[in-house]
Amino acid sequence: MRNILGLLIILLVTAGAAFGCYYVYNNILTDGRQRDAVTALSDRTGTEYIIDADTANEIDDLFAIVGAIARDDRGKTGPRLAGLTAAQFHSSPLAGDYSAEESQTLNEEIARVMERPQLRTLVGSNHPLANDKKPRRSPAAAFIIERALLANEDDKLQVFILGPATNLASAILLKPEIADVIHARYLGFWYDPKTQVYDKGEFNTSNDTVALNLLLDNPRLEFTVMTATTSEALQMQRAQLDSLLPPSHRLTRLLKNRWNNFDRWWTDEDPQKLQWTMWDVASLEAWFHPELATLERQPAPAGNLRRDIGVYTSIQPEAMLRAYFDAVRIRLGD
């Protein structure tokens, strides 16, 4: 009898320990979200990418994410969207104390509306780096590390940075070796290809210059930039939302509502908001359709590590918009 009782106790303890491990993994290590099968650790095949965006700061991040999810078929025929990470935008006059969490909320809403509720969305740091030694720990930084550890130098993890570089820089500070297997694709800088002069006063850059310099100065990290100067050519018309997307779809209503109600605080031009610069859309579209952009090797900014980086110097905006709306319409079943 005692032997049987002892065996039952052992079984109960073992089961309790197993449940504890399961709970910690699913509710702490994975930020409380059940994994999409396509992002399971055992199921990484082909190229993966992450979009790291300050989505609540503007509206172009939202449109860029929509275009990416519209194309994502879980890696069956193209690159796989591993997840969305939310970035801070602390210097905006509209930002609260928890700007990354504002971006996280919007990322989650986009995933729901586009019927991808299991797409992993992870919040990043609400603050920029204080110095180049101390990372900002966050679920976003941990997620970047997780996916990078499954990549290799021949098939790198592509990280699209559509806001400040805080989350990726933190991930690399936490796990330096992942720099070898990541391709950082940054949206930022004003840049003149003729003089090869970079202006770091641009919004994304100035929101965490320490983080950006860490990336630029890392010789192990592949770095490509879609400059604000180049992407400024991508101008979307408000009327296109009415004519090119199904009017009754929840996504169309979300896009229109964001466009109509966002306060474009940085300019008094075009008060009716008849058009919008889709900086971030250009960054993704240039990757989806490399034939629609010119990518050159250019020197990195003066004061950073002396090396060449990838720089997009021109795009075909009309063709990009056609490709973008075609992809979104197909996804919405129109």
Side-chain angles (χ1 to χ4, degrees), residues 60 112 118 174 210 252 277 309 331:
D60 57 324
R112 284 195 303 270
Q118 290 182 309
L174 289 165
V210 173
T252 306
T277 305
I309 60 175
R331 177 59 186 241

PDB file of all heavy atoms in Angstrom, residues 60 112 118 174 210 252 277 309 331:
ATOM      1  N   ASP A  60       1.592  55.147 -42.109  1.00  0.00           N
ATOM      2  CA  ASP A  60       2.267  54.352 -43.136  1.00  0.00           C
ATOM      3  C   ASP A  60       2.735  53.003 -42.600  1.00  0.00           C
ATOM      4  O   ASP A  60       2.771  52.021 -43.346  1.00  0.00           O
ATOM      5  CB  ASP A  60       3.419  55.119 -43.775  1.00  0.00           C
ATOM      6  CG  ASP A  60       4.454  55.589 -42.772  1.00  0.00           C
ATOM      7  OD1 ASP A  60       4.071  55.967 -41.644  1.00  0.00           O
ATOM      8  OD2 ASP A  60       5.646  55.608 -43.111  1.00  0.00           O
ATOM      9  N   ARG A 112      -5.977  40.893 -36.089  1.00  0.00           N
ATOM     10  CA  ARG A 112      -7.353  40.380 -35.937  1.00  0.00           C
ATOM     11  C   ARG A 112      -8.195  40.681 -37.160  1.00  0.00           C
ATOM     12  O   ARG A 112      -8.899  39.805 -37.682  1.00  0.00           O
ATOM     13  CB  ARG A 112      -8.009  40.997 -34.695  1.00  0.00           C
ATOM     14  CG  ARG A 112      -7.549  40.433 -33.369  1.00  0.00           C
ATOM     15  CD  ARG A 112      -8.504  40.840 -32.253  1.00  0.00           C
ATOM     16  NE  ARG A 112      -8.643  42.289 -32.151  1.00  0.00           N
ATOM     17  CZ  ARG A 112      -7.875  43.061 -31.392  1.00  0.00           C
ATOM     18  NH1 ARG A 112      -6.898  42.532 -30.689  1.00  0.00           N
ATOM     19  NH2 ARG A 112      -8.075  44.366 -31.336  1.00  0.00           N
ATOM     20  N   GLN A 118      -3.352  34.555 -34.691  1.00  0.00           N
ATOM     21  CA  GLN A 118      -2.235  33.820 -34.104  1.00  0.00           C
ATOM     22  C   GLN A 118      -0.879  34.367 -34.541  1.00  0.00           C
ATOM     23  O   GLN A 118       0.153  33.878 -34.084  1.00  0.00           O
ATOM     24  CB  GLN A 118      -2.341  32.338 -34.459  1.00  0.00           C
ATOM     25  CG  GLN A 118      -3.493  31.622 -33.750  1.00  0.00           C
ATOM     26  CD  GLN A 118      -3.539  30.155 -34.092  1.00  0.00           C
ATOM     27  OE1 GLN A 118      -3.516  29.777 -35.264  1.00  0.00           O
ATOM     28  NE2 GLN A 118      -3.590  29.313 -33.084  1.00  0.00           N
ATOM     29  N   LEU A 174      22.110  41.877 -26.262  1.00  0.00           N
ATOM     30  CA  LEU A 174      21.843  40.723 -25.410  1.00  0.00           C
ATOM     31  C   LEU A 174      22.491  39.452 -25.949  1.00  0.00           C
ATOM     32  O   LEU A 174      22.922  38.587 -25.167  1.00  0.00           O
ATOM     33  CB  LEU A 174      20.333  40.511 -25.289  1.00  0.00           C
ATOM     34  CG  LEU A 174      19.578  41.540 -24.449  1.00  0.00           C
ATOM     35  CD1 LEU A 174      18.079  41.449 -24.706  1.00  0.00           C
ATOM     36  CD2 LEU A 174      19.870  41.344 -22.964  1.00  0.00           C
ATOM     37  N   VAL A 210      21.527  56.295 -30.616  1.00  0.00           N
ATOM     38  CA  VAL A 210      22.465  55.339 -30.011  1.00  0.00           C
ATOM     39  C   VAL A 210      22.260  53.954 -30.614  1.00  0.00           C
ATOM     40  O   VAL A 210      23.215  53.278 -31.013  1.00  0.00           O
ATOM     41  CB  VAL A 210      22.290  55.290 -28.481  1.00  0.00           C
ATOM     42  CG1 VAL A 210      23.143  54.173 -27.875  1.00  0.00           C
ATOM     43  CG2 VAL A 210      22.663  56.625 -27.851  1.00  0.00           C
ATOM     44  N   THR A 252     -10.817  47.861 -44.722  1.00  0.00           N
ATOM     45  CA  THR A 252     -10.986  49.145 -45.395  1.00  0.00           C
ATOM     46  C   THR A 252     -11.454  50.205 -44.417  1.00  0.00           C
ATOM     47  O   THR A 252     -10.953  51.337 -44.417  1.00  0.00           O
ATOM     48  CB  THR A 252     -11.996  49.019 -46.553  1.00  0.00           C
ATOM     49  OG1 THR A 252     -11.589  47.957 -47.435  1.00  0.00           O
ATOM     50  CG2 THR A 252     -12.061  50.312 -47.344  1.00  0.00           C
ATOM     51  N   THR A 277       2.314  60.335 -47.571  1.00  0.00           N
ATOM     52  CA  THR A 277       3.602  59.731 -47.913  1.00  0.00           C
ATOM     53  C   THR A 277       3.703  58.365 -47.254  1.00  0.00           C
ATOM     54  O   THR A 277       3.633  58.252 -46.026  1.00  0.00           O
ATOM     55  CB  THR A 277       4.768  60.615 -47.446  1.00  0.00           C
ATOM     56  OG1 THR A 277       4.606  61.927 -47.987  1.00  0.00           O
ATOM     57  CG2 THR A 277       6.099  60.030 -47.907  1.00  0.00           C
ATOM     58  N   ILE A 309      27.221  50.148 -47.356  1.00  0.00           N
ATOM     59  CA  ILE A 309      25.936  49.570 -46.982  1.00  0.00           C
ATOM     60  C   ILE A 309      25.009  49.640 -48.197  1.00  0.00           C
ATOM     61  O   ILE A 309      25.295  50.347 -49.168  1.00  0.00           O
ATOM     62  CB  ILE A 309      25.297  50.305 -45.789  1.00  0.00           C
ATOM     63  CG1 ILE A 309      25.056  51.793 -46.128  1.00  0.00           C
ATOM     64  CG2 ILE A 309      26.173  50.168 -44.543  1.00  0.00           C
ATOM     65  CD1 ILE A 309      24.319  52.560 -45.043  1.00  0.00           C
ATOM     66  N   ARG A 331      -6.086  39.486 -51.152  1.00  0.00           N
ATOM     67  CA  ARG A 331      -6.210  38.964 -49.789  1.00  0.00           C
ATOM     68  C   ARG A 331      -7.622  39.138 -49.247  1.00  0.00           C
ATOM     69  O   ARG A 331      -8.154  38.271 -48.530  1.00  0.00           O
ATOM     70  CB  ARG A 331      -5.206  39.678 -48.864  1.00  0.00           C
ATOM     71  CG  ARG A 331      -5.280  39.278 -47.400  1.00  0.00           C
ATOM     72  CD  ARG A 331      -5.022  37.780 -47.246  1.00  0.00           C
ATOM     73  NE  ARG A 331      -5.214  37.330 -45.888  1.00  0.00           N
ATOM     74  CZ  ARG A 331      -4.267  36.776 -45.141  1.00  0.00           C
ATOM     75  NH1 ARG A 331      -3.053  36.626 -45.630  1.00  0.00           N
ATOM     76  NH2 ARG A 331      -4.531  36.369 -43.917  1.00  0.00           N
TER      77      ARG A 331
END
